[in-house]
Amino acid sequence: MIGYALRRTLLAIPVMGVVAVIVFSLLYFAPGDPALVIAGDTASAEDIARIRHSLHLDQDPAVRFASWVWQLLHGDFGTSIYSGEPVLHLIGQRAGATVGLMLLATLFAVTIGITLGILAARRKGGAWDRLLAGYGTLGFSLPPFVMAYILAFVFASTLHWLPVQGFQPISAGPGPFLRTAILPALSLGIVFSALIANVTRAAMIEAMGQDYVRTAIAKGVGERTILFRHALKNAAIPIVTVIGSGVPVLIGGTVVVEGIFVVPGIGGLMVDAILHRDYPVIQAVVLLSSLVYVLTNLIIDLSYTLLDPRIRY
Amino acid sequence: MALIEVDALSTLFPSGEGDLRAVDGLSFAVQPGETVAIVGESGSGKSVTVMSIMRLLGAATRHEGAVRFEGRDLLALSEAEMRKVRGNRIGMIFQEPMTALNPVQTIGSQIAESLRLHRGLSRRDSRARALEMLSLVGIPAPERRIDEYPHQLSGGMRQRVMIAMALACDPALLIADEPTTALDVTVQAQILDLIREQARKLGAGVILITHDLGVVAELADRVIVVYAGRKVEEGTAAEILDRPRHPYTRGLLEATPRLRGGGGHRAGRMTEIPGNVPGLAEILAGCAFEPRCAHAQPCCRIERPPEVPVAQDHLVVCRRAEPVS
Ligand SMILES: Nc1ncnc2c1ncn2[C@@H]1O[C@H](COP(=O)(O)OP(=O)(O)OP(=O)(O)O)[C@@H](O)[C@H]1O
Ligand SMILES: [Mg+2]
């Protein structure tokens, strides 16, 4: 197990290497000369030369790549062209809001998704099952930004239960954080929860039909124990897998949702950076998102061996 | 007094073409310490009978008749009361040891579960008792095996674990649905010995479902022969094996020639009687076996045959049998 964990972790390194190459070449493959775009129409030739130099576009790409990676490995993500601040500092300021939002959305999606999936699986075609079918259709047919506007309209503009703007970070206390984060987290999490609920339902129906469930009933075990101790643990692998596969969806959705609810997070930083062709920021955000994704997958892979004793590497 | 008395049990599965009657007015009893075998071709309703006794068939299934066990009708109990019977007063062993155990729980915790549930044992006490059960059913190195998962055990070992689970709470009745069919021939005899031995020690009654008349000869005190969900013959094992009266029972016995020749316990499957079991949706006014019976007469088709006592401890449900005087 430890050997496998080690090998699997080492395997993540070349993956991140490929990501780094792609991220690096963004600068070269993006349409237009980045220096010209950044400098704007009124720039003089010296301005452009200066920007070219600060982007190291005047260096050999291979040399530039090597020194870029070297700096990354030392935790140096460069300096923002637009604001002149260290990229890591910019990201650090805003990561808390985004991570808080994503965790809340995930918590919400996992709780609602698994609960609804189990309730629906208990009785096929029953009330909960029909509710899930409706919820799923709604969740999948509405993109997060539409969901965000609907939620904001209902709970903020109409009912005045929650604010639309004025996001408070977790450091401001759980109360203010929840009040301001719940609508964006719901907008992000509903599709995700519907996804988890559908997978949970299918996996639970499959597990509940297995012989070992009949054995458990014949032992006198009650329904709740059968659902949670016997069936859910057997259904865990597809559920954990879908949770992992939802993380990139969350990362994508958060950009949009942060914009609507004016959350000062990575999403806004990224949008600004793209508008200003602030390459160091763009590269850092893409790299870090990929790292989160790779790490999530790593954790999920490793969790398989804990969830199913038959899986051994 | 009988340990369990199945009285005119019918099991009906609702379906598009009306109710499917998988068990049709079946009656039999098991005395304490007695082993009763239920035999019959595939699809004759043996499994459905014992699943009905345990009420394992799901909410849509309907039952008629009564199953009296320890002074109560199991079919009339609430679900909560029934749970206290399952795994506690009645233990059950299934046919497929490969799939009947939970793959993600250790065998120790699967045995301990019913002990904690029915006996209220602590985690530690139930584990100690599970360990005891494992050595009782002949699992070597039980201290090591107790923390293993089902996939780490052979089929025979898993069936031993199933037996340990079924017997953990000292049940008064043990139901075994083809407990050896899925196992290697060499292991079958050991598992049967184990069931017989443990049931004898507990003084438990046993309902044993089997295709295998060799198993009947070896283990059963009494035999119920079923066909299309109905009883066609009942008697002591010796009577049924040596003096079968019903044409269906005779067909079954002829289909397993080695048994009569003595020696071989490994009897073939009973599929050699010409014709097929009637579909469950067919309404049979007369004898269910009549379409396949070489001795059938017109009246067999019209009226259900009577139960005819043909010897002491031997009755046959057939119009053509002559009663004892
Ligand atoms: N849940 C169900 N719904 C509808 N019909 C069923 C159901 N369970 C069993 N049956 C039918 O009931 C009949 C009896 O089945 P059962 O499993 O009791 O046979 P069996 O005697 O145990 O056969 P085998 O020796 O193959 O195990 C079969 O025709 C089967 O198709
Ligand atoms: Mg069967």
Side-chain angles (χ1 to χ4, degrees):
Chain A
M1 169 70 201
I2 291 174
Y4 172 72
L6 221 61
R7 262 179 296 142
R8 184 67 185 69
T9 311
L10 289 178
L11 218 68
I13 292 175
V15 174
M16 282 313 294
V18 172
V19 172
V21 171
I22 293 170
V23 167
F24 178 76
S25 39
L26 276 180
L27 191 58
Y28 295 92
F29 294 134
D33 183 337
L36 277 179
V37 176
I38 293 168
D41 295 337
T42 57
S44 63
E46 296 93 83
D47 285 341
I48 293 170
R50 191 173 45 74
I51 292 172
R52 292 189 76 86
H53 181 70
S54 73
L55 283 174
H56 307 279
L57 285 172
D58 49 355
Q59 290 178 6
D60 177 52
V63 175
R64 172 63 202 129
F65 180 70
S67 72
W68 180 66
V69 170
W70 183 250
Q71 284 170 346
L72 285 181
L73 291 177
H74 289 79
D76 179 4
F77 284 78
T79 312
S80 161
I81 300 171
Y82 181 63
S83 69
E85 289 198 58
V87 172
L88 213 52
H89 179 67
L90 287 173
I91 289 178
Q93 276 177 338
R94 291 163 159 262
T98 299
V99 170
L101 201 59
M102 283 178 50
L103 286 181
L104 192 63
T106 307
L107 184 73
F108 163 77
V110 168
T111 324
I112 299 287
I114 292 182
T115 312
L116 202 52
I118 291 175
L119 288 173
R122 256 181 68 193
R123 244 171 10 95
K124 257 198 276 183
W128 284 108
D129 202 13
R130 291 201 302 274
L131 181 80
L132 171 58
Y135 183 74
T137 313
L138 204 72
F140 291 129
S141 52
L142 296 179
F145 76 91
V146 177
M147 190 74 73
Y149 280 120
I150 293 176
L151 289 174
F153 177 74
V154 174
F155 293 102
S157 309
T158 310
L159 295 170
H160 299 289
W161 288 357
L162 296 162
V164 187
Q165 301 190 0
F167 180 84
Q168 300 281 321
I170 293 188
S171 54
F177 168 71
L178 281 179
R179 257 176 65 74
T180 52
I182 205 146
L183 287 183
L186 280 180
S187 320
L188 265 182
I190 284 180
V191 186
F192 196 15
S193 70
L195 202 66
I196 296 175
N198 276 340
V199 170
T200 304
R201 174 186 179 274
M204 285 295 285
I205 286 176
E206 149 110 31
M208 290 299 284
Q210 298 297 312
D211 284 352
Y212 56 76
V213 166
R214 188 184 59 186
T215 306
I217 299 173
K219 274 199 290 189
V221 178
E223 193 196 1
R224 193 174 325 169
T225 313
I226 298 222
L227 282 172
F228 289 98
R229 258 178 63 95
H230 292 267
L232 186 57
K233 197 161 180 226
N234 277 282
I237 286 195
I239 298 175
V240 167
T241 308
V242 74
I243 293 174
S245 68
V247 169
V249 181
L250 273 188
I251 294 179
T254 191
V255 175
V256 179
V257 169
E258 281 180 14
I260 294 171
F261 291 97
V262 202
V263 177
I266 304 282
L269 181 71
M270 184 69 172
V271 172
D272 284 348
I274 291 173
L275 290 176
H276 297 117
R277 300 283 175 122
D278 196 345
Y279 281 100
V281 175
I282 298 173
Q283 288 172 329
V285 172
V286 174
L287 261 183
L288 289 177
S289 318
S290 310
L291 187 65
V292 169
Y293 181 60
V294 168
L295 287 180
T296 316
N297 272 314
L298 178 65
I299 292 169
I300 284 166
D301 262 18
L302 293 179
S303 77
Y304 289 164
T305 59
L306 299 178
L307 293 172
D308 191 337
R310 285 166 297 184
I311 299 178
R312 282 287 168 269
Y313 300 98
Chain B
M1 205 187 85
L3 171 65
I4 187 168
E5 206 179 328
V6 176
D7 187 2
L9 173 71
S10 292
T11 304
L12 300 103
F13 298 113
S15 85
E17 316 110 64
D19 290 346
L20 303 178
R21 200 173 272 268
V23 177
D24 189 0
L26 191 64
S27 299
F28 65 94
V30 180
Q31 307 301 322
E34 186 187 33
T35 297
V36 171
I38 302 180
V39 300
E41 283 173 301
S42 192
S44 53
K46 307 181 296 290
S47 297
V48 172
T49 302
V50 290
M51 302 268 274
S52 294
I53 293 173
M54 286 287 262
R55 294 206 355 220
L56 294 176
L57 286 169
T61 314
R62 281 200 300 121
H63 296 293
E64 291 167 2
V67 176
R68 279 182 284 277
F69 175 75
E70 298 189 326
R72 297 185 294 179
D73 180 3
L74 296 184
L75 298 181
L77 293 186
S78 72
E79 183 57 29
E81 287 172 315
M82 192 62 211
R83 278 205 296 272
K84 291 186 194 143
V85 174
R86 295 189 191 118
N88 185 24
R89 304 304 303 150
I90 305 180
M92 190 150 177
I93 304 167
F94 295 97
Q95 178 176 341
E96 306 84 8
M98 302 323 248
T99 55
L101 292 170
N102 191 327
V104 302
Q105 286 179 9
T106 64
I107 59 172
S109 74
Q110 295 188 58
I111 298 171
E113 184 169 31
S114 52
L115 290 162
R116 292 219 295 275
L117 206 63
H118 299 301
R119 292 287 172 84
L121 293 192
S122 67
R123 199 164 274 277
R124 183 203 270 174
D125 290 348
S126 62
R127 185 182 163 88
R129 169 80 175 146
L131 200 63
E132 214 175 281
M133 290 307 300
L134 283 178
S135 43
L136 203 69
V137 297
I139 303 261
E143 305 80 12
R144 185 164 55 80
R145 293 292 186 176
I146 191 168
D147 292 317
E148 290 192 344
Y149 291 91
H151 72 275
Q152 293 168 286
L153 275 63
S154 68
M157 285 296 160
R158 288 189 217 186
Q159 200 59 303
R160 286 175 192 269
V161 171
M162 278 298 295
I163 295 171
M165 267 166 56
L167 294 176
C169 293
D170 301 335
L173 177 67
L174 181 66
I175 297 175
D177 188 350
E178 311 208 27
T180 58
T181 310
L183 301 178
D184 277 359
V185 184
T186 47
V187 184
Q188 290 184 347
Q190 298 170 9
I191 295 294
L192 290 173
D193 283 345
L194 179 65
I195 292 175
R196 173 173 41 204
E197 189 60 23
Q198 294 305 322
R200 196 182 51 74
K201 250 193 245 170
L202 282 175
V206 179
I207 298 176
L208 177 75
I209 293 180
T210 180
H211 271 107
D212 188 333
L213 290 173
V215 172
V216 172
E218 191 152 332
L219 234 59
D221 300 313
R222 222 144 42 76
V223 182
I224 319 283
V225 184
V226 290
Y227 183 77
R230 301 175 186 177
K231 179 164 76 183
V232 297
E233 189 161 8
E234 170 174 359
T236 59
E239 275 284 325
I240 298 287
L241 295 174
D242 295 335
R243 284 176 290 281
R245 298 293 294 270
H246 197 285
Y248 177 64
T249 316
R250 288 192 194 159
L252 290 182
L253 282 164
E254 276 159 22
T256 52
R258 273 191 295 157
L259 183 76
R260 299 291 86 215
H265 286 316
R266 178 76 194 124
R269 293 226 156 192
M270 311 169 194
T271 46
E272 290 87 348
I273 305 173
N276 285 311
V277 184
L280 295 182
E282 283 175 53
I283 307 293
L284 300 159
C287 172
F289 190 60
E290 177 271 334
R292 292 168 75 184
C293 183
H295 312 281
Q297 291 187 332
C299 62
C300 294
R301 186 192 293 258
I302 298 158
E303 251 187 306
R304 292 275 287 252
E307 290 195 357
V308 185
V310 289
Q312 205 184 355
D313 298 321
H314 190 172
L315 62 84
V316 55
V317 188
C318 181
R319 197 161 289 285
R320 304 269 292 149
E322 316 87 51
V324 272
S325 45

